[in-house]
Amino acid sequence: MDKEERKTINQGQEDEMEIYGYNLCRWKLAIVSLGVVCTGGFLLLLLYWMPEWRVKATCIRAAIQDCEVVLLRTTDEFRMWFCAKIRLLSVETNPFLSPKSMANKVSNGHAILLNENLTEENRHEISTHSQMQSEQLRYFTHHSVKYFWNDTLHNFDFLKGLDEGVSCTSIYEKHSAGLTKGMHAYRKLLYGVNEISVKVPSVFKLLIKEVLNPFYIFQLFSVVLWCTDEYYYYALAIVVMSVVSILSSLYSIRKQYIMLHDMVAAHSTVRVSVCRVNEEIEEIFSTDLVPGDIMVIPLNGTVMPCDAVLINGTCIVNESMLTGESVPVTKTNLPNPSVDIKGMGDELYSPEMHKRHTLFCGTTVIQTRFYTGELVKAIVVRTGFSTSKGQLVRSILYPKPTDFKLYRDAYLFLLCLVAVAGIGFIYTIINSILNEVEVGVIIIESLDIITITVPPALPAAMTAGIVYAQRRLKKIGIFCISPQRINICGQLNLVCFDKTGTLTEDGLDLWGIQRVENTCFLLPDENVCNEMLVKSQFVACMATCHSLTKIEGVLSGDPLDLKMFEAIGWILEEATEEETALHNRIMPTVVRPPKQLLPESTPAGNQEMELFELPTIYEIGIVRQFPFSSALQRMSVVARVLGDKKMDAYMKGAPEVVASLCKPETVPVDFEKVLEDYTKQGFRVIALAHRKLESKLTWHKVQNISRDAIENNMDFLGLIIMQNKLKQETPAVLEDLHKASIRTVMVTGDNMLTAVSVARDCGMILPQDKVIIAEALPPKDGKVAKINWHYADTLTQCSSSSAIDSEAIPIKLVHDSLEDLQVTRYHFAMNGKSFSVILEHFQDLVPKLMLHGTVFARMAPDQKTQLVEALQNVDYFVGMCGDGANDCGALKRAHGGISLSELEASVASPFTSKTPSISCVPNLIREGRAALMTSFCVFKFMALYSIIQYSSVTLLYSVLSNLGDFQFLFIDLAIILVVVFTMSLNPAWKELVAQRPPSGLISGALLFSVLSQIIICIGFQSLGFFWVKQQPWYEVWHPHSDACNTTGSLYWNSSHLYNETELDPHNIQNYENTTVFFISSFQYLIVAIAFSKGKPFRQPCYKNYLFVVSVIILYVFMLFIMLHPVASIDQVLQVVCVPHQWRVTMLVIVLVNALVSVLVENFCLDMVLWKVVFSRDKQGEYRFTTTQPPQESVDHWGKCCLSWVLDCRKKMPKAKYMYLAQELLFDPEWPPKPQTTTEAKTLVKENGSCQIITVT
């Protein structure tokens, strides 16, 4: 039974979930209903907050196959619960397939492809209603995805389109004919409407959702309680605060929904033409599209309403919505394996693998190309939320919760306050019973102590610092869509950088070319645009092998292609639509050199000779293009020189790849050495190759040939050397990060040695540091996976004192000196393929490589995301900075993702910089640290505020007194709110420092700070409370008391009259109350100043002018009413007259309190505790990792203390990367020795272990 009750859906994917089946139980429902009535609706709220409890309280377990409700739990670290109701969909099935097999096909994602193999007669019969049978499909919807029951899998599975399990052959053979209207209607029933609907919730719905937040429920409880106790003013103030908070929250949430809705809805419904089975064209709305429809791409372009694969024609597409690059991309039709000369076998279609043939939803088709009047057609493969754009919107609509220690510790801290409140609650009840207080008063006062201990203004106070930081970031051009992440950015200790466009300039400059003749490299040549080379194959390759196109007369395309084409100075002409339609074999794109470059060109003025010159015109037509593929690292074209019988194939790409596809005899012997020389200097090198094709290859055959048949046996032509300059600010920014002990990592799609060279140039790798290249090879021919370790040569810039022999192994660090540390630093570098092999076959080496991995080259987008995850797994706080192109996944996954692109792809990134410069990274970290410290200051202050007030009320309860309504109001509004909202205004410190702020509230320094201030405040408050009773003039206060000896004075008369007319049933007016009120009021201001620290993360508090002015005004006012009483103010605040001597005594108590608080906070904590712990930490840990934050051991000490006190928290270890660094100090096998190989054991899947074998 248990096996049936628990399954896993989306196995191995990011949104993997456990699923449990339940059926509604009537008797459980009745008991819960009774409980709801008995608890006044509180149980209903509890069940609303906890989906798991709601389902378990009202349902009983059932087999998933027959259940009515499913309970879902994510398998990630958050373990979040969701519930969904099972729904039934009535579909009509045909008599040729059993209902069971039909249901399987639905859920398998072949989308009712049940009519694929039926004859025309059968198809006709199916369309008649008399032949139909009804079948009900069970499904549920979660996060905008439908999950159907699959009898084959015995589990729920989401409905897939044609993007999974469909071969390229079947795309052409089974799906290229189009759908009948009956099949279209059938699929629409299953797939639903093709739209990415972001519904903007009504204000009422949002209001209910916001108000039902546990915190606002607690506030409501507090307000009701205060009204019962006649604290109307304070209750009103809290209501006003809550209303303002709710309204501002509603406004920002609704604004975000509207923005997202507008972004998605801009082109959500358009009219599209689709081809039906009988070749007829039908015009329908894009919302009616289903997988399998043949969409006709209009001539003037469109915004794609779905994901579709091109089967006919060519499109030029702007994919900035997805990739962040506004460079137009050429999309060609999917190769048809059945007509290919060489054939591709039965390759499965995948939108990711075949993205050069796939038009993605949300991208803009700028132009289309077609031949002989044929239409440009694409088969719809995914619709709605399954599309690439839909998945992006889903990730924004349903983000993963932000897991940050600060927030977890905040809840723990609140629990501590609740525990303190519980003690006060019990004390109040016992004290009141002993003093024979009425039952009603006991209930109100005991509950009142809870509302005092857990401050209602806490969330608003905590948010203030983040809001101010967000405003400051906006001023320096950094926009934030996830404000909670600002705090997390204060913890970043590692930042990954994309290279091109981020560390280096966006464009590449052509440095020169190095041609090959007779298998030898010629000397490098800077000028390509000359008469000598104009008819060479090298220049022909540069002129044709690109994806450039003219859009509205302007040449556009990949920046690298543009630079290459501009360098030769040729002209590109594209055939007009009319020409394409008229001629069957018209060459769509023609390139030719300018006339001045052709030696045989005659004067242009000789018009009579024009017809005879035609044969001598040198033009090359591009017949077929195989677009650049990042997986293949190359592109190629088939071209024909005007007048030639044979066609030419040209190829360009990564030098290693191009050389491997050339005839070995055409590749120079010193190819690798020359290439290495260039890449070491940081140049980007591209290789060119050429081949004459057989004369039997006609235009038609070329259109259907596979690229593998073209891309082989080429002649190596030479190298193009491009220069990618560092951005001016890059070295300085990276130096700032290194000084602040923040590790930097490069993640790029470029060549390995180029990346290492750039890393050295920008200071990411210091000249004396060693670079170890890890070359991992997957298992092959029965051999296990292995890693070859190579040591990259040290650059010549190294000084003789710091240079180490390239074969030497880094010496283990024995001394604590920093000089030795610098000498023995080493870095790992690897490419994307090696990274994937290591992830799969060497799991135990991954953490070790993450500790010193600095350069990751040739990384695919998903590999960048995996790298960020791997770094997070060893407890790094990871930042990611990219230009938006291919970095979306990594930007989303990182703790702090900063996009340098303002395009729509930046929606996926929490931060977007207006200026495309990495200088935004230190700025963001500085602001993050300031916001984090502000959060700590505010939290500490709010904790002290609640404890000081709790202490005041507890002391006064002992004499059956309390603080007055206006006293509460003055403290909470005039002091607390003013202080909280002004103390958060401290700007960030001017520069980054090496130490990091603590990551959570449960850290040694913060605990010491809070506990010491609590003890000081309670001590001085208690001193005043008990000392006043020892005064000779003291008596239990009554309306006729005259401690001031002011009988007959105006003050006494007015006070006397006041008290005569209004009796004090709550016993608020007494000497104890007045003493406690004055001392506690000053204490709030004292701790505010003590906690408002500046350096090293924030500017000093005296630069926060609003805070300084507010505190001075409050101090002056408090001193004035304490030392020079004003009758009217005393009447409002319900304080009584005390002798002048006692007022001076209270002032002395306050001054001593201030002195002790400031000394403990600034001297004991900052000077003694911090330095003792930090110096010990520096000796013990700084020597093995430069990223070790000094605060970590203090955090550890604090956690141990709390676990000892509360016995509710396990002993938490330090960050994993620190433990690992410590272990590696004593590992003789690490780092690996040069020219050695590490082999994976055969049982790699079980334990991931590996062994080192030295290859001699």
Side-chain angles (χ1 to χ4, degrees):
M1 181 68 181
D2 188 54
K3 283 182 182 175
E4 291 178 347
E5 289 176 348
R6 176 182 165 180
K7 302 271 186 186
T8 304
I9 57 173
N10 303 332
Q11 200 151 12
Q13 294 176 37
E14 193 182 338
D15 52 353
E16 183 180 277
M17 289 179 288
E18 290 171 358
I19 180 169
Y20 305 85
Y22 284 87
N23 282 338
L24 202 64
C25 175
R26 294 189 186 281
W27 64 265
K28 278 191 171 186
L29 198 61
I31 291 170
V32 167
S33 305
L34 186 66
V36 169
V37 173
C38 294
T39 57
F42 181 71
L43 180 62
L44 193 64
L45 274 172
L46 203 62
L47 297 180
Y48 168 77
W49 294 328
M50 312 289 283
E52 180 200 2
W53 292 8
R54 181 164 76 247
V55 171
K56 288 182 178 178
T58 56
C59 302
I60 52 170
R61 290 287 285 270
I64 294 174
Q65 189 171 354
D66 309 309
C67 64
E68 297 169 359
V69 176
V70 287
L71 191 60
L72 306 162
R73 182 171 70 171
T74 59
T75 55
D76 55 18
E77 67 271 26
F78 303 107
R79 314 290 280 177
M80 290 176 70
W81 291 93
F82 302 94
C83 66
K85 194 178 178 183
I86 297 292
R87 300 183 184 278
L88 296 174
L89 178 69
S90 292
V91 291
E92 290 178 329
T93 181
N94 66 75
F96 297 96
L97 289 173
S98 68
K100 186 173 179 180
S101 67
M102 189 276 306
N104 292 347
K105 285 210 168 195
V106 172
S107 303
N108 277 343
H110 296 299
I112 311 303
L113 308 180
L114 40 92
N115 297 350
E116 286 168 2
N117 306 314
L118 301 177
T119 61
E120 278 303 315
E121 298 84 51
N122 288 345
R123 285 178 194 269
H124 177 70
E125 284 190 42
I126 288 166
S127 65
T128 62
H129 287 283
S130 59
Q131 296 291 322
M132 291 293 190
Q133 299 168 2
S134 186
E135 170 71 8
Q136 291 203 321
L137 298 177
R138 306 173 71 253
Y139 75 96
F140 68 88
T141 307
H142 174 67
H143 285 178
S144 303
V145 175
K146 279 184 184 176
Y147 293 85
F148 282 84
W149 176 255
N150 185 327
D151 271 333
T152 309
L153 298 174
H154 288 288
N155 198 356
F156 282 97
D157 196 13
F158 67 90
L159 196 56
K160 302 175 186 77
L162 301 181
D163 55 318
E164 285 189 39
V166 180
S167 67
C168 295
T169 310
S170 69
I171 290 269
Y172 277 98
E173 290 179 359
K174 296 177 183 175
H175 302 285
S176 58
L179 302 176
T180 61
K181 287 188 180 181
M183 282 176 76
H184 176 269
Y186 201 40
R187 290 191 186 182
K188 194 184 170 191
L189 190 65
L190 290 161
Y191 285 97
V193 178
N194 170 36
E195 65 176 352
I196 303 165
S197 58
V198 178
K199 290 176 183 170
V200 180
S202 65
V203 175
F204 180 73
K205 267 187 182 177
L206 281 173
L207 182 66
I208 295 297
K209 197 174 179 182
E210 192 70 18
V211 167
L212 291 181
N213 181 305
F215 175 73
Y216 288 121
I217 297 298
F218 175 69
Q219 278 196 334
L220 183 67
F221 162 74
S222 304
V223 166
V224 170
L225 186 70
W226 293 327
C227 288
T228 313
D229 203 19
E230 297 174 11
Y231 288 173
Y232 299 120
Y233 299 106
Y234 186 44
L236 183 66
I238 289 296
V239 166
V240 169
M241 266 176 56
S242 300
V243 167
V244 169
S245 174
I246 289 169
L247 289 176
S248 63
S249 179
L250 283 184
Y251 173 75
S252 61
I253 292 169
R254 192 169 160 80
K255 190 180 172 187
Q256 281 181 349
Y257 267 112
I258 290 168
M259 277 173 65
L260 189 59
H261 175 268
D262 292 348
M263 185 193 99
V264 171
H267 308 283
S268 60
T269 309
V270 289
R271 292 192 76 85
V272 293
S273 299
V274 292
C275 291
R276 292 284 174 235
V277 170
N278 51 5
E279 294 293 324
E280 68 169 300
I281 306 289
E282 185 188 354
E283 200 169 85
I284 62 171
F285 282 110
S286 59
T287 48
D288 295 328
L289 287 171
V290 295
D293 268 331
I294 309 288
M295 181 180 167
V296 178
I297 312 296
L299 193 67
N300 55 352
T302 182
V303 174
M304 288 302 293
C306 57
D307 286 355
V309 59
L310 263 178
I311 55 164
N312 210 17
T314 307
C315 292
I316 296 157
V317 184
N318 184 336
E319 291 192 322
S320 62
M321 211 295 290
L322 289 179
T323 63
E325 282 191 70
S326 55
V327 174
V329 181
T330 303
K331 303 275 184 169
T332 56
N333 59 302
L334 184 75
N336 186 352
S338 57
V339 295
D340 272 355
I341 290 171
K342 198 172 171 185
M344 289 163 58
D346 206 20
E347 187 185 2
L348 290 177
Y349 166 71
S350 156
E352 282 67 43
M353 287 291 292
H354 299 97
K355 63 181 177 185
R356 284 289 179 175
H357 315 294
T358 306
L359 304 171
F360 293 103
C361 179
T363 59
T364 308
V365 177
I366 304 165
Q367 278 183 9
T368 59
R369 299 268 173 79
F370 56 91
Y371 307 106
T372 332
E374 286 185 20
L375 297 170
V376 178
K377 296 178 188 175
I379 298 178
V380 177
V381 289
R382 295 186 296 205
T383 56
F385 277 101
S386 301
T387 60
S388 47
K389 184 179 179 181
Q391 287 163 7
L392 175 65
V393 173
R394 276 183 68 221
S395 69
I396 299 165
L397 278 176
Y398 314 107
K400 273 194 170 185
T402 309
D403 181 39
F404 187 41
K405 208 163 153 290
L406 172 69
Y407 305 122
R408 280 181 280 140
D409 287 352
Y411 286 119
L412 196 66
F413 215 94
L414 278 174
L415 282 176
C416 296
L417 290 178
V418 169
V420 171
I423 296 164
F425 180 78
I426 295 161
Y427 162 76
T428 307
I429 291 172
I430 294 167
N431 183 57
S432 301
I433 291 168
L434 292 174
N435 286 288
E436 297 177 357
V437 178
E438 290 176 22
V439 176
V441 177
I442 293 175
I443 293 168
I444 288 171
E445 289 193 342
S446 55
L447 290 173
D448 203 21
I449 202 96
I450 296 172
T451 64
I452 286 165
T453 318
V454 183
L458 183 63
M462 290 287 283
T463 311
I466 297 172
V467 171
Y468 296 146
Q470 195 174 357
R471 201 178 293 166
R472 287 195 298 269
L473 284 171
K474 200 171 180 181
K475 279 182 185 173
I476 55 172
I478 300 171
F479 298 93
C480 171
I481 60 165
S482 178
Q484 297 300 327
R485 296 240 181 184
I486 297 174
N487 271 342
I488 302 175
C489 287
Q491 278 297 309
L492 297 183
N493 55 0
L494 184 146
V495 183
C496 296
F497 291 98
D498 181 36
K499 183 180 78 72
T500 312
T502 304
L503 295 173
T504 58
E505 295 289 351
D506 216 351
L508 289 159
D509 294 319
L510 187 77
W511 180 83
I513 61 166
Q514 191 154 9
R515 294 189 303 125
V516 169
E517 272 185 20
N518 302 323
T519 330
C520 291
F521 277 115
L522 302 178
L523 290 171
D525 195 344
E526 283 183 31
N527 184 22
V528 199
C529 188
N530 63 47
E531 292 181 11
M532 299 290 290
L533 297 175
V534 72
K535 286 195 175 182
S536 68
Q537 294 292 3
F538 193 95
V539 169
C541 185
M542 287 178 75
T544 56
C545 199
H546 53 71
S547 56
L548 298 177
T549 185
K550 277 193 172 175
I551 296 172
E552 294 176 2
V554 180
L555 204 62
S556 60
D558 188 281
L560 186 143
D561 288 347
L562 271 172
K563 286 278 180 192
M564 271 173 45
F565 196 74
E566 285 167 4
I568 56 171
W570 281 38
I571 298 154
L572 181 137
E573 288 177 354
E574 288 181 329
T576 61
E577 289 152 17
E578 291 78 15
E579 287 173 326
T580 311
L582 281 169
H583 306 286
N584 191 21
R585 296 189 185 185
I586 189 79
M587 293 182 182
T589 304
V590 172
V591 289
R592 58 181 172 80
K595 287 188 177 179
Q596 59 267 32
L597 281 180
L598 291 169
E600 65 267 41
S601 63
T602 53
N606 192 350
Q607 297 294 323
E608 288 84 1
M609 292 297 290
E610 204 168 302
L611 284 168
F612 299 97
E613 280 174 29
L614 274 174
T616 62
I617 289 174
Y618 185 65
E619 279 185 357
I620 306 174
I622 300 166
V623 180
R624 174 91 194 269
Q625 189 184 82
F626 297 99
F628 176 78
S629 160
S630 52
L632 300 173
Q633 296 179 15
R634 63 180 184 267
M635 82 162 287
S636 56
V637 291
V638 175
R640 177 187 270 160
V641 177
L642 188 69
D644 275 18
K645 287 182 181 178
K646 290 184 179 181
M647 294 190 191
D648 298 273
Y650 296 103
M651 177 167 67
K652 75 160 193 237
E656 310 92 332
V657 176
V658 171
S660 70
L661 295 169
C662 290
K663 297 173 193 164
E665 62 270 19
T666 66
V667 180
V669 192
D670 57 347
F671 163 74
E672 287 183 6
K673 184 184 176 297
V674 170
L675 176 63
E676 196 174 329
D677 286 345
Y678 281 125
T679 52
K680 271 187 178 178
Q681 293 172 60
F683 291 115
R684 181 159 177 192
V685 184
I686 294 155
L688 305 184
H690 160 259
R691 170 184 155 203
K692 273 278 181 203
L693 296 176
E694 302 83 10
S695 53
K696 64 177 182 181
L697 276 178
T698 61
W699 187 89
H700 272 299
K701 282 181 181 176
V702 165
Q703 294 310 313
N704 296 314
I705 199 168
S706 76
R707 70 188 297 168
D708 293 345
I710 297 288
E711 296 171 341
N712 60 55
N713 278 335
M714 311 282 278
D715 295 332
F716 192 79
L717 292 177
L719 304 171
I720 297 176
I721 299 103
M722 312 289 283
Q723 196 172 19
N724 193 196
K725 292 173 186 170
L726 276 179
K727 284 186 178 176
Q728 199 175 347
E729 65 278 359
T730 296
V733 169
L734 293 182
E735 191 183 350
D736 286 348
L737 293 173
H738 288 160
K739 281 179 185 172
S741 295
I742 294 168
R743 237 186 90 187
T744 50
V745 170
M746 186 191 291
V747 194
T748 177
D750 207 343
N751 172 285
M752 164 84 74
L753 291 171
T754 304
V756 171
S757 166
V758 171
R760 285 197 186 275
D761 290 346
C762 66
M764 204 176 269
I765 298 173
L766 298 174
Q768 66 270 26
D769 293 355
K770 296 297 296 172
V771 177
I772 305 168
I773 295 172
E775 183 198 4
L777 304 168
K780 197 178 180 185
D781 303 328
K783 293 179 182 176
V784 294
K786 60 180 181 179
I787 307 173
N788 296 324
W789 307 98
H790 309 289
Y791 277 43
D793 290 338
T794 326
L795 286 184
T796 49
Q797 295 104 292
C798 295
S799 62
S800 56
S801 60
S802 64
I804 312 165
D805 182 75
S806 66
E807 297 299 305
I809 306 149
I811 309 147
K812 288 286 174 187
L813 192 56
V814 197
H815 308 290
D816 290 340
S817 66
L818 210 61
E819 290 77 29
D820 285 346
L821 173 70
Q822 292 299 333
V823 172
T824 57
R825 280 184 55 169
Y826 58 93
H827 304 261
F828 286 108
M830 69 193 78
N831 61 24
K833 285 179 183 173
S834 296
F835 179 69
S836 290
V837 172
I838 290 166
L839 275 186
E840 190 177 347
H841 300 281
F842 299 89
Q843 295 98 325
D844 60 337
L845 282 185
V846 174
K848 294 180 183 180
L849 291 169
M850 290 306 105
L851 199 65
H852 290 281
T854 302
V855 175
F856 295 86
R858 297 278 189 231
M859 295 286 274
D862 58 328
Q863 289 170 337
K864 290 184 181 184
T865 310
Q866 288 167 347
L867 173 66
V868 169
E869 284 174 350
L871 289 163
Q872 288 171 336
N873 288 341
V874 288
D875 293 346
Y876 276 112
F877 279 92
V878 184
M880 172 75 198
C881 181
D883 58 357
N886 303 327
D887 299 322
C888 284
L891 288 167
K892 269 196 299 186
R893 174 68 65 215
H895 289 108
I898 314 151
S899 168
L900 301 185
S901 156
E902 281 192 84
L903 295 154
E904 283 179 292
S906 64
V907 172
S909 174
F911 301 96
T912 305
S913 174
K914 203 173 182 180
T915 51
S917 148
I918 66 164
S919 56
C920 63
V921 175
N923 287 336
L924 179 63
I925 296 173
R926 282 191 307 105
E927 287 297 347
R929 288 178 172 187
L932 189 57
M933 285 315 292
T934 300
S935 294
F936 289 144
C937 291
V938 169
F939 210 98
K940 282 159 65 177
F941 177 72
M942 293 304 282
L944 258 293
Y945 148 60
S946 62
I947 294 294
I948 291 169
Q949 199 167 79
Y950 168 79
S951 160
S952 305
V953 171
T954 310
L955 287 170
L956 293 175
Y957 275 2
S958 67
V959 293
L960 302 181
S961 180
N962 199 351
L963 289 171
D965 199 358
F966 279 99
Q967 288 176 342
F968 272 125
L969 204 61
F970 175 74
I971 291 167
D972 290 321
L973 295 186
I975 299 179
I976 304 305
L977 285 187
V978 170
V979 167
V980 157
F981 290 119
T982 56
M983 81 188 296
S984 305
L985 285 166
N986 284 34
W989 187 247
K990 295 185 284 285
E991 57 195 38
L992 278 175
V993 292
Q995 63 206 67
R996 279 186 13 244
S999 57
L1001 289 162
I1002 314 300
S1003 67
L1006 287 171
L1007 276 180
F1008 178 82
S1009 171
V1010 171
L1011 292 174
S1012 59
Q1013 293 299 332
I1014 285 173
I1015 292 164
I1016 292 164
C1017 290
I1018 291 176
F1020 280 100
Q1021 231 183 97
S1022 304
L1023 175 70
F1025 179 79
F1026 292 111
W1027 198 1
V1028 75
K1029 293 184 178 183
Q1030 308 302 317
Q1031 299 305 308
W1033 47 264
Y1034 176 79
E1035 62 176 346
V1036 175
W1037 192 89
H1038 54 82
H1040 300 285
S1041 295
D1042 186 21
C1044 297
N1045 196 20
T1046 54
T1047 310
S1049 74
L1050 177 65
Y1051 176 89
W1052 185 84
N1053 279 332
S1054 61
S1055 179
H1056 178 70
L1057 286 168
Y1058 172 78
N1059 288 302
E1060 285 276 278
T1061 52
E1062 288 187 34
L1063 291 169
D1064 184 12
H1066 295 292
N1067 187 27
I1068 285 162
Q1069 288 177 306
N1070 53 57
Y1071 300 122
E1072 291 92 335
N1073 170 288
T1074 301
T1075 304
V1076 166
F1077 170 70
F1078 279 125
I1079 293 173
S1080 66
S1081 296
F1082 277 107
Q1083 284 180 335
Y1084 299 123
L1085 295 173
I1086 290 164
V1087 293
I1089 291 167
F1091 288 156
S1092 287
K1093 290 180 191 168
K1095 204 174 170 182
F1097 306 117
R1098 305 197 304 164
Q1099 297 273 12
C1101 66
Y1102 58 77
K1103 286 198 174 180
N1104 183 352
Y1105 304 117
L1106 264 176
F1107 175 69
V1108 172
V1109 170
S1110 305
V1111 168
I1112 289 171
I1113 290 170
L1114 284 166
Y1115 263 126
V1116 169
F1117 178 74
M1118 288 299 303
L1119 284 168
F1120 176 73
I1121 64 169
M1122 187 174 84
L1123 297 175
H1124 185 80
V1126 177
S1128 55
I1129 295 173
D1130 284 2
Q1131 283 174 18
V1132 172
L1133 292 174
Q1134 292 175 275
V1135 295
V1136 298
C1137 184
V1138 292
H1140 185 73
Q1141 185 192 347
W1142 182 243
R1143 293 175 191 276
V1144 174
T1145 308
M1146 282 195 291
L1147 181 62
V1148 171
I1149 292 171
V1150 165
L1151 288 171
V1152 175
N1153 185 347
L1155 187 68
V1156 173
S1157 287
V1158 172
L1159 277 175
V1160 167
E1161 184 69 20
N1162 293 293
F1163 179 74
C1164 296
L1165 183 69
D1166 289 2
M1167 306 294 287
V1168 181
L1169 180 72
W1170 181 277
K1171 288 200 173 176
V1172 166
V1173 175
F1174 177 47
S1175 61
R1176 187 190 70 213
D1177 191 51
K1178 192 157 84 173
Q1179 288 166 7
E1181 290 169 359
Y1182 187 77
R1183 59 199 176 98
F1184 61 81
T1185 171
T1186 53
T1187 58
Q1188 156 61 9
Q1191 189 57 34
E1192 286 289 346
S1193 65
V1194 192
D1195 291 359
H1196 184 61
W1197 175 79
K1199 285 172 193 152
C1200 293
C1201 283
L1202 195 77
S1203 7
W1204 179 71
V1205 174
L1206 298 175
D1207 196 28
C1208 67
R1209 190 175 178 126
K1210 288 180 184 175
K1211 188 177 178 182
M1212 294 287 285
K1214 297 174 198 169
K1216 286 178 194 168
Y1217 68 86
M1218 288 185 225
Y1219 272 140
L1220 199 59
Q1222 219 162 12
E1223 283 174 16
L1224 293 181
L1225 279 176
F1226 308 104
D1227 185 350
E1229 298 292 340
W1230 198 263
K1233 296 174 180 66
Q1235 310 305 321
T1236 59
T1237 301
T1238 303
E1239 289 189 353
K1241 284 187 178 174
T1242 46
L1243 296 173
V1244 65
K1245 287 192 177 174
E1246 287 183 24
N1247 53 21
S1249 57
C1250 48
Q1251 58 186 0
I1252 293 181
I1253 299 163
T1254 305
V1255 180
T1256 53

